[in-house]
Amino acid sequence: MDESEIIVSLRGVSNRFGSHVVHENLDLDIRRGEILGLIGGSGSGKSVLLRSILWLRPPDAGEVTVLGTPLRQADERAWREIRRRWGVLFQDGALFSSLTVTENIQVPLREFAALDKRTMNDIAALKIVLSGLPREAGALHPEELSGGMRKRAGLARALALDPAILFLDEPTAGLDPIGAGSFDELLLSLKEAMGLTVCMVTHDVDSLHTVCDRVAVLADKHIAAIGTIEELLQVDHPWIKEYFSGPRGRIAAACHERSTASSAPYRKPGEQGE
Amino acid sequence: MAEQTIDMQQHFAGDGERDPDITTVSGPDGVFISCTGAWVVLRLHKVVAKLREPSLLAARPVAIDCTAISSLDTAGALLLERLRCGYSGNPAMRLKDRRQQDLFATVAPGACLPEPLEPDSPPPFVQFLNTLGGTIITQFHQTKSLINFLGAFLLSLVGLLRHPGRLRLTSLAYHMELVGLAAVPIVALLSFLIGVVVAYMGAQQLRLFGAEIYVINLVEITTLRELGVLMTSIVVAGRSGSAFTAQIGAMQANEEVDAMRTMGLDPMRLLVQPRVVALILMLPALVFLSDIMGLLGGAVAVKASIGLGIDAFAERLQASMNLNHFYIGLGKAPVFALIIGVVGCFQGFRVTGSSDSVGRLTTQAVVQAIFLVIVFDAAFAVFFAALGV
Ligand SMILES: Nc1ncnc2c1ncn2[C@@H]1O[C@H](COP(=O)(O)OP(=O)(O)OP(=O)(O)O)[C@@H](O)[C@H]1O
Ligand SMILES: [Mg+2]
C-alpha cells in the first residue's frame, strides 16, 4: 500500500466547550484503504472528534482535509462531492423513522443519482443483502427492527453510493458477540470488494484485533499513540498499558492469537447466514 | 494489501471518464457484449434504457466483456450481473482485474433472485370497502380504549379522594402554571376580540329593526353561555392537550414510561393525574377570565358603534342579566377540561417506538379533543333547552 495516500487529515484541531478543552492541537491521518480504530476512555472526545471530521461541529481551530479538500474552504460544489463520497453510520442507525428500510437506502440515491424506480429497488435490495439483513427487511419500518438490525440497515444506507470512506460510531456496541463478529467480517469483505477506507470509534477490543489495520488512541486531548496493536503494546503510556493488559484486553488478544493460527479466508459478503 | 493500489480518481464517481455504454459485437467465436465507460451509480441512468432494449436482450452472447470498463462499483456490477443472468446459455464474464472479480463476487449472491411478486391489487370498489371497514374497526377499538382509559382515570381520582395526600402537589402546581397562567394572555386577547366582533356585527343587524339596545343581551348570552367556554376550550386543546400528548409520547418512545412501571410507579398517578386535575382546576378560571374580557370587548364595541357608554352598558347588563347563562357556561368548563386532558394523555400513551408517531398522535389528540368538545357542547345545548334554563 502506498503509505503517502492520505484520505483524511487533521492538523492542529482544537475543540472546547466553554472552558472545558476536549482537544488541543490534535493531528491525525487516515490512509486510503485502511480500517482505523479510534479508542479512548469515556468522555475523551471520540464522538466530538468524529463530529468535527464530519463538520457537524466544526472544530474551534485547526484544519480538516477530506479527499484533498480543506473543509473550511470548501464551497457548495465541493461539499456535494464530499458528502456523496463518505458514508456515516450513527450509533443507533439514525434511520428516518417515517420511511421503510428500502426507502431509507434510496434517500441518497434519489438525491444524487437519476435512476428509475426499478433500478433503485435493485440497488437497495443488493445493499440490504450486503449488510447481512434478510431480503424481507426492506419493507419494514425502523421501529419494527431490533437494535442490531437497525445498525445493519444504517450501514446499508451508508453504503448506498459506494462511498470511499466510511465513518462508524461504535458499530458493534450493543450487538451480541456473534452478531458483532459477523459485523466485523462484513466490514472486512466490504473493504476488500469496494476498496473502502473505514474510520471507526469502538470500545470492542475484539474488533480492534480482527478488523483494524491501525489503532489511534485518544488521550490527554490529542492522539497519544497510533499504530498497529503490536506497536501500541510497546508504547509507554499508562492508559494504553491498562487498556491492552487489563483482563478484557488480555482475553481478546489470546483469542485473536488462537484464531489467526488456524485462520480461514474471510467469507464473501452475502454468505453471512445467521 | 497489495491489490489496494487503486487510482484515487478512478474509484470515485469517474469524473473525466466516459459515460457507461454497451454494444453487441460479432467476433470470430460468436457475439459478445462489450461494455465501456464508467459504470458507477451516479452515471448509470445513461445506460439503463439501453440495458432494456429488445435487440440487446435478444442477443445470444458468448461473453460479456468488462475489460474496457474504466471504473466500476457495486451498482454497476449488479446491473451487469443481472443482464448476464437474463441470458440463456450462461455467458462468461470477462473481467479486467482482481478488483472487478471481488465486486462481482460481492454482488452475485443476491443479484439473480427473481423480484418478489407484488400481490395483485383488488378492484377499486373492494379496496374502498376494505379501507372503510378498516377505519370503522380502528375507530371502534380506539373509542373503546379511550373509554377504558377514562374509566381508569376516574377510578384513580376516586382513589385520590380517599387518600388526598397522594396527589403530587409540586407537579400539580407546575402544570397549573403551564396550563392556566401561561394561557392568560392569549385567552384574554382572543375573548376580547370575539366580544368586539359579536357586539359590532350584532349592533349592525339589530339596527335594521331599531333594536340596537338588545345588543347587550346578545353579547351577554353568546359570551357567557357559549363562546367564552368554547373558545377557551379550543385554545387550551391546542396549547395544552397537544403538549400532554407530546410530553407523554416522548417519554413513551424513550421507554421512560416502561421504566416507571418496572419501578412500581404508576404512570396514571404520576403523569396523568397532575395534568388532568390541573386542567380541571384551571379551565373554569380561564373561562371566567374569558367571560370578563368578552363583556369588556362587547362594551367597547357598543360604545364605538351605538355610542352607549361603559357605565350605561354595565347598568343595563345588571338590570337584565340572567345569571343562569354564566353558571351554565362555567359549569361546562370542567367537563371540557376532562375531555381535553384525557384525550391528550390517552394519545400520548398510544405512541409506539418511533418518534414519527409522536407528531401524528399530537395532531390527532387536538382534532379529537376539539371534536368531542363541540359534540358535548351541542349535547349540553339540547339538554338545557329541554330543561328550559
Ligand atoms: N454539547 C456539549 N456541550 C458541552 N460539553 C460537551 C458536549 N458534547 C460533549 N461534551 C464534552 O466533551 C467531552 C467528550 O465527549 P464525547 O462525547 O466526545 O466522549 P466520547 O469519547 O465519545 O465518550 P464515550 O466513549 O462515552 O462515547 C465530554 O467531557 C463531554 O462532557
Ligand atoms: Mg461517544
Side-chain angles (χ1 to χ4, degrees):
Chain A
M1 191 171 75
D2 181 3
E3 300 217 330
S4 67
E5 241 188 315
I6 304 296
I7 198 164
V8 175
S9 91
L10 280 71
R11 287 288 171 270
V13 165
S14 297
N15 274 309
R16 60 180 63 84
F17 295 99
S19 61
H20 174 43
V21 178
V22 181
H23 304 125
E24 189 147 46
N25 214 0
L26 179 150
D27 296 343
L28 176 66
D29 287 323
I30 304 177
R31 300 174 190 156
R32 150 171 296 287
E34 77 173 347
I35 297 187
L36 178 75
L38 187 58
I39 63 174
S42 273
S44 58
K46 304 179 293 293
S47 300
V48 173
L49 188 63
L50 208 54
R51 291 174 63 82
S52 285
I53 302 177
L54 296 171
W55 219 246
L56 292 172
R57 185 192 180 281
D60 297 315
E63 191 54 79
V64 179
T65 308
V66 174
L67 297 164
T69 312
L71 296 187
R72 216 177 274 287
Q73 278 96 46
D75 57 11
E76 213 40 48
R77 246 184 79 86
W79 266 120
R80 217 177 140 74
E81 210 43 31
I82 290 168
R83 289 195 172 122
R84 66 161 218 244
R85 285 177 183 180
W86 72 23
V88 184
L89 171 60
F90 288 93
Q91 180 146 0
D92 199 31
L95 297 169
F96 303 119
S97 58
S98 55
L99 305 179
T100 63
V101 172
T102 299
E103 289 164 343
N104 260 288
I105 299 170
Q106 288 173 352
V107 168
L109 288 176
R110 252 179 245 280
E111 180 63 26
F112 289 105
L115 288 168
D116 58 313
K117 187 95 191 128
R118 204 174 114 194
T119 314
M120 287 207 298
N121 283 344
D122 286 349
I123 295 178
L126 167 73
K127 306 291 160 152
I128 287 173
V129 174
L130 273 188
S131 59
L133 286 169
R135 235 164 159 239
E136 306 76 58
L140 299 179
H141 281 270
E143 74 208 56
E144 298 168 294
L145 301 178
S146 74
M149 289 168 85
R150 266 203 287 275
K151 228 161 239 184
R152 285 168 189 269
L155 181 68
R157 186 179 66 183
L159 293 174
L161 292 172
D162 278 38
I165 331 161
L166 200 55
F167 294 98
L168 310 171
D169 197 354
E170 306 198 17
T172 52
L175 297 189
D176 68 283
I178 301 174
S182 72
F183 199 97
D184 287 347
E185 262 174 47
L186 177 67
L187 265 188
L188 280 173
S189 57
L190 289 176
K191 180 188 105 162
E192 292 291 312
M194 301 166 63
L196 275 176
T197 305
V198 180
C199 170
M200 62 192 249
V201 172
T202 187
H203 285 301
D204 186 339
V205 195
D206 290 316
S207 287
L208 289 183
H209 281 285
T210 43
V211 299
C212 292
D213 299 311
R214 289 194 308 158
V215 176
V217 183
L218 188 55
D220 316 326
K221 305 185 175 68
H222 64 276
I223 302 294
I226 182 165
T228 60
I229 292 185
E230 288 72 36
E231 287 164 5
L232 288 187
L233 287 174
Q234 312 304 319
V235 176
D236 192 29
H237 185 285
W239 191 85
I240 301 174
K241 282 215 160 350
E242 170 110 32
Y243 187 90
F244 287 107
S245 58
R248 284 153 178 273
R250 278 207 309 272
I251 292 171
C255 292
H256 182 64
E257 251 154 51
R258 224 176 303 146
S259 70
T260 41
S262 60
S263 94
Y266 301 118
R267 280 187 291 169
K268 284 284 171 209
E271 290 172 22
Q272 283 93 17
E274 287 137 76
Chain B
M1 229 172 288
E3 312 84 32
Q4 290 281 327
T5 41
I6 317 132
D7 168 63
M8 197 178 244
Q9 208 58 42
Q10 180 184 332
H11 178 75
F12 302 141
D15 303 326
E17 291 177 64
R18 288 194 295 129
D19 284 334
D21 198 7
I22 187 161
T23 43
T24 44
V25 183
S26 311
D29 34 286
V31 178
F32 68 93
I33 290 177
S34 156
C35 309
T36 56
W39 284 68
V40 292
V41 62
L42 299 181
R43 301 281 195 99
L44 286 177
H45 58 281
K46 308 256 175 160
V47 80
V48 166
K50 272 194 177 167
L51 282 171
R52 304 215 173 110
E53 265 173 25
S55 60
L56 182 72
L57 298 176
R60 310 194 93 256
V62 292
I64 298 177
D65 184 7
C66 301
T67 49
I69 288 180
S70 55
S71 55
L72 183 68
D73 68 5
T74 52
L78 174 73
L79 291 195
L80 288 168
E81 182 66 19
R82 284 189 80 100
L83 178 71
R84 197 184 69 88
C85 300
Y87 290 122
S88 57
N90 197 19
M93 224 17 137
R94 280 187 208 150
L95 301 177
K96 181 167 66 174
D97 53 15
R98 168 78 202 279
R99 190 174 135 71
Q100 287 195 348
Q101 285 169 14
D102 276 343
L103 273 172
F104 277 99
T106 304
V107 304
C112 297
L113 297 177
E115 280 173 47
L117 290 179
E118 303 256 322
D120 287 342
S121 57
F125 179 65
V126 178
Q127 262 181 23
F128 168 73
L129 284 186
N130 254 341
T131 321
L132 183 67
T135 314
I136 291 175
I137 292 176
T138 342
Q139 283 302 328
F140 176 74
H141 283 298
Q142 219 197 93
T143 312
K144 211 171 82 177
S145 36
L146 177 61
I147 293 174
N148 257 338
F149 186 81
L150 176 67
F153 172 70
L154 290 179
L155 267 185
S156 85
L157 272 194
V158 172
L160 193 64
L161 287 183
R162 272 196 273 147
H163 310 276
R166 282 208 198 149
L167 186 66
R168 290 294 183 109
L169 277 182
T170 329
S171 176
L172 180 71
Y174 171 75
H175 285 291
M176 278 171 75
E177 182 186 338
L178 275 192
V179 166
L181 211 57
V184 164
I186 179 82
V187 167
L189 182 64
L190 274 184
S191 308
F192 181 83
L193 292 178
I194 295 280
V196 168
V197 170
V198 167
Y200 231 92
M201 302 309 292
Q204 239 175 35
Q205 296 300 313
L206 289 170
R207 185 171 298 143
L208 300 178
F209 312 103
E212 290 119 290
I213 200 65
Y214 287 105
V215 74
I216 295 171
N217 301 72
L218 179 73
V219 170
E220 177 206 335
I221 297 182
T222 45
T223 26
L224 296 192
R225 189 166 176 141
E226 291 294 337
L227 284 185
V229 63
L230 208 55
M231 283 304 302
T232 312
S233 300
I234 289 174
V235 169
V236 167
R239 277 187 88 253
S240 305
S242 60
F244 291 176
T245 311
Q247 289 158 358
I248 296 181
M251 293 183 73
Q252 178 91 8
N254 202 14
E255 294 185 324
E256 289 171 52
V257 176
D258 296 337
M260 288 171 76
R261 289 209 173 94
T262 56
M263 287 185 257
L265 305 174
D266 180 15
M268 188 62 89
R269 184 165 75 83
L270 265 57
L271 298 180
V272 181
Q273 268 182 12
R275 287 183 170 80
V276 182
V277 171
L279 206 53
I280 291 177
L281 293 177
M282 291 316 283
L283 193 61
L286 286 175
V287 169
F288 182 71
L289 171 79
S290 161
D291 286 349
I292 305 285
M293 294 307 290
L295 290 180
L296 204 64
V300 169
V302 163
K303 170 132 178 79
S305 65
I306 60 177
L308 193 67
I310 304 256
D311 23 338
F313 181 95
E315 221 166 88
R316 245 203 98 81
L317 194 65
Q318 237 165 7
S320 69
M321 177 112 154
N322 180 352
L323 264 186
N324 276 347
H325 297 318
F326 172 71
Y327 291 135
I328 287 176
L330 209 59
K332 288 190 280 195
V335 181
F336 292 175
L338 183 70
I339 293 173
I340 295 168
V342 165
V343 167
C345 294
F346 169 72
Q347 297 291 1
F349 283 109
R350 285 184 63 214
V351 168
T352 52
S354 85
S355 40
D356 181 39
S357 60
V358 177
R360 197 165 38 78
L361 289 171
T362 305
T363 315
Q364 204 173 328
V366 175
V367 172
Q368 209 170 55
I370 293 179
F371 170 77
L372 285 176
V373 161
I374 292 179
V375 166
F376 270 73
D377 194 49
F380 275 126
V382 173
F383 176 71
F384 287 123
L387 281 186
V389 283

PDB file of all heavy atoms in Angstrom, chain B residues 225 324 328 379-389:
ATOM      1  N   ARG B 225     -72.630  32.128  27.785  1.00  0.00           N
ATOM      2  CA  ARG B 225     -73.169  30.779  27.708  1.00  0.00           C
ATOM      3  C   ARG B 225     -72.375  29.882  26.759  1.00  0.00           C
ATOM      4  O   ARG B 225     -72.119  28.720  27.067  1.00  0.00           O
ATOM      5  CB  ARG B 225     -74.623  30.848  27.262  1.00  0.00           C
ATOM      6  CG  ARG B 225     -75.327  29.510  27.375  1.00  0.00           C
ATOM      7  CD  ARG B 225     -76.809  29.706  27.253  1.00  0.00           C
ATOM      8  NE  ARG B 225     -77.499  28.439  27.264  1.00  0.00           N
ATOM      9  CZ  ARG B 225     -78.642  28.229  27.881  1.00  0.00           C
ATOM     10  NH1 ARG B 225     -79.206  29.211  28.548  1.00  0.00           N
ATOM     11  NH2 ARG B 225     -79.225  27.056  27.838  1.00  0.00           N
ATOM     12  N   ASN B 324     -78.098  32.469  35.040  1.00  0.00           N
ATOM     13  CA  ASN B 324     -78.037  31.089  34.565  1.00  0.00           C
ATOM     14  C   ASN B 324     -77.049  30.919  33.414  1.00  0.00           C
ATOM     15  O   ASN B 324     -76.351  29.908  33.335  1.00  0.00           O
ATOM     16  CB  ASN B 324     -79.414  30.623  34.094  1.00  0.00           C
ATOM     17  CG  ASN B 324     -80.225  30.124  35.272  1.00  0.00           C
ATOM     18  OD1 ASN B 324     -79.681  29.917  36.349  1.00  0.00           O
ATOM     19  ND2 ASN B 324     -81.521  29.954  35.068  1.00  0.00           N
ATOM     20  N   ILE B 328     -74.168  28.165  33.510  1.00  0.00           N
ATOM     21  CA  ILE B 328     -74.121  27.075  32.526  1.00  0.00           C
ATOM     22  C   ILE B 328     -72.782  27.078  31.802  1.00  0.00           C
ATOM     23  O   ILE B 328     -72.119  26.039  31.653  1.00  0.00           O
ATOM     24  CB  ILE B 328     -75.282  27.201  31.524  1.00  0.00           C
ATOM     25  CG1 ILE B 328     -76.581  26.821  32.229  1.00  0.00           C
ATOM     26  CG2 ILE B 328     -75.050  26.296  30.320  1.00  0.00           C
ATOM     27  CD1 ILE B 328     -77.802  26.998  31.368  1.00  0.00           C
ATOM     28  N   ALA B 379     -74.646  18.703  22.829  1.00  0.00           N
ATOM     29  CA  ALA B 379     -75.477  17.892  23.707  1.00  0.00           C
ATOM     30  C   ALA B 379     -75.969  18.715  24.895  1.00  0.00           C
ATOM     31  O   ALA B 379     -77.150  18.663  25.260  1.00  0.00           O
ATOM     32  CB  ALA B 379     -74.688  16.675  24.199  1.00  0.00           C
ATOM     33  N   PHE B 380     -75.078  19.522  25.465  1.00  0.00           N
ATOM     34  CA  PHE B 380     -75.464  20.391  26.577  1.00  0.00           C
ATOM     35  C   PHE B 380     -76.551  21.368  26.146  1.00  0.00           C
ATOM     36  O   PHE B 380     -77.518  21.614  26.885  1.00  0.00           O
ATOM     37  CB  PHE B 380     -74.252  21.185  27.087  1.00  0.00           C
ATOM     38  CG  PHE B 380     -73.433  20.443  28.094  1.00  0.00           C
ATOM     39  CD1 PHE B 380     -72.077  20.260  27.916  1.00  0.00           C
ATOM     40  CD2 PHE B 380     -74.034  19.929  29.242  1.00  0.00           C
ATOM     41  CE1 PHE B 380     -71.324  19.570  28.843  1.00  0.00           C
ATOM     42  CE2 PHE B 380     -73.286  19.252  30.176  1.00  0.00           C
ATOM     43  CZ  PHE B 380     -71.926  19.063  29.970  1.00  0.00           C
ATOM     44  N   ALA B 381     -76.394  21.932  24.941  1.00  0.00           N
ATOM     45  CA  ALA B 381     -77.363  22.924  24.459  1.00  0.00           C
ATOM     46  C   ALA B 381     -78.749  22.305  24.413  1.00  0.00           C
ATOM     47  O   ALA B 381     -79.728  22.889  24.899  1.00  0.00           O
ATOM     48  CB  ALA B 381     -76.938  23.434  23.090  1.00  0.00           C
ATOM     49  N   VAL B 382     -78.817  21.084  23.842  1.00  0.00           N
ATOM     50  CA  VAL B 382     -80.108  20.403  23.735  1.00  0.00           C
ATOM     51  C   VAL B 382     -80.660  20.102  25.130  1.00  0.00           C
ATOM     52  O   VAL B 382     -81.834  20.336  25.431  1.00  0.00           O
ATOM     53  CB  VAL B 382     -79.958  19.104  22.917  1.00  0.00           C
ATOM     54  CG1 VAL B 382     -81.256  18.306  22.936  1.00  0.00           C
ATOM     55  CG2 VAL B 382     -79.541  19.432  21.492  1.00  0.00           C
ATOM     56  N   PHE B 383     -79.792  19.614  25.989  1.00  0.00           N
ATOM     57  CA  PHE B 383     -80.178  19.227  27.336  1.00  0.00           C
ATOM     58  C   PHE B 383     -80.762  20.419  28.106  1.00  0.00           C
ATOM     59  O   PHE B 383     -81.866  20.354  28.658  1.00  0.00           O
ATOM     60  CB  PHE B 383     -78.940  18.663  28.053  1.00  0.00           C
ATOM     61  CG  PHE B 383     -79.148  18.315  29.487  1.00  0.00           C
ATOM     62  CD1 PHE B 383     -79.931  17.214  29.841  1.00  0.00           C
ATOM     63  CD2 PHE B 383     -78.553  19.061  30.494  1.00  0.00           C
ATOM     64  CE1 PHE B 383     -80.106  16.874  31.164  1.00  0.00           C
ATOM     65  CE2 PHE B 383     -78.726  18.724  31.814  1.00  0.00           C
ATOM     66  CZ  PHE B 383     -79.510  17.625  32.151  1.00  0.00           C
ATOM     67  N   PHE B 384     -80.036  21.538  28.092  1.00  0.00           N
ATOM     68  CA  PHE B 384     -80.504  22.696  28.859  1.00  0.00           C
ATOM     69  C   PHE B 384     -81.742  23.320  28.234  1.00  0.00           C
ATOM     70  O   PHE B 384     -82.613  23.842  28.947  1.00  0.00           O
ATOM     71  CB  PHE B 384     -79.387  23.735  28.995  1.00  0.00           C
ATOM     72  CG  PHE B 384     -78.315  23.310  29.957  1.00  0.00           C
ATOM     73  CD1 PHE B 384     -76.994  23.225  29.564  1.00  0.00           C
ATOM     74  CD2 PHE B 384     -78.649  22.979  31.269  1.00  0.00           C
ATOM     75  CE1 PHE B 384     -76.018  22.816  30.444  1.00  0.00           C
ATOM     76  CE2 PHE B 384     -77.669  22.574  32.157  1.00  0.00           C
ATOM     77  CZ  PHE B 384     -76.353  22.488  31.743  1.00  0.00           C
ATOM     78  N   ALA B 385     -81.835  23.236  26.909  1.00  0.00           N
ATOM     79  CA  ALA B 385     -83.038  23.753  26.249  1.00  0.00           C
ATOM     80  C   ALA B 385     -84.254  22.947  26.704  1.00  0.00           C
ATOM     81  O   ALA B 385     -85.328  23.487  26.987  1.00  0.00           O
ATOM     82  CB  ALA B 385     -82.884  23.696  24.745  1.00  0.00           C
ATOM     83  N   ALA B 386     -84.060  21.609  26.792  1.00  0.00           N
ATOM     84  CA  ALA B 386     -85.156  20.752  27.234  1.00  0.00           C
ATOM     85  C   ALA B 386     -85.540  21.067  28.678  1.00  0.00           C
ATOM     86  O   ALA B 386     -86.715  21.049  29.046  1.00  0.00           O
ATOM     87  CB  ALA B 386     -84.756  19.284  27.097  1.00  0.00           C
ATOM     88  N   LEU B 387     -84.529  21.366  29.501  1.00  0.00           N
ATOM     89  CA  LEU B 387     -84.808  21.719  30.888  1.00  0.00           C
ATOM     90  C   LEU B 387     -85.436  23.102  31.002  1.00  0.00           C
ATOM     91  O   LEU B 387     -86.023  23.441  32.019  1.00  0.00           O
ATOM     92  CB  LEU B 387     -83.513  21.708  31.711  1.00  0.00           C
ATOM     93  CG  LEU B 387     -82.978  20.346  32.151  1.00  0.00           C
ATOM     94  CD1 LEU B 387     -81.787  20.554  33.063  1.00  0.00           C
ATOM     95  CD2 LEU B 387     -84.060  19.560  32.877  1.00  0.00           C
ATOM     96  N   GLY B 388     -85.242  23.885  29.949  1.00  0.00           N
ATOM     97  CA  GLY B 388     -85.807  25.221  29.950  1.00  0.00           C
ATOM     98  C   GLY B 388     -85.015  26.224  30.758  1.00  0.00           C
ATOM     99  O   GLY B 388     -85.561  27.219  31.223  1.00  0.00           O
ATOM    100  N   VAL B 389     -83.710  25.987  30.959  1.00  0.00           N
ATOM    101  CA  VAL B 389     -82.902  27.020  31.638  1.00  0.00           C
ATOM    102  C   VAL B 389     -82.061  27.813  30.630  1.00  0.00           C
ATOM    103  O   VAL B 389     -81.746  27.326  29.592  1.00  0.00           O
ATOM    104  CB  VAL B 389     -81.968  26.430  32.720  1.00  0.00           C
ATOM    105  CG1 VAL B 389     -82.762  26.098  33.954  1.00  0.00           C
ATOM    106  CG2 VAL B 389     -81.224  25.242  32.166  1.00  0.00           C
TER     107      VAL B 389
END
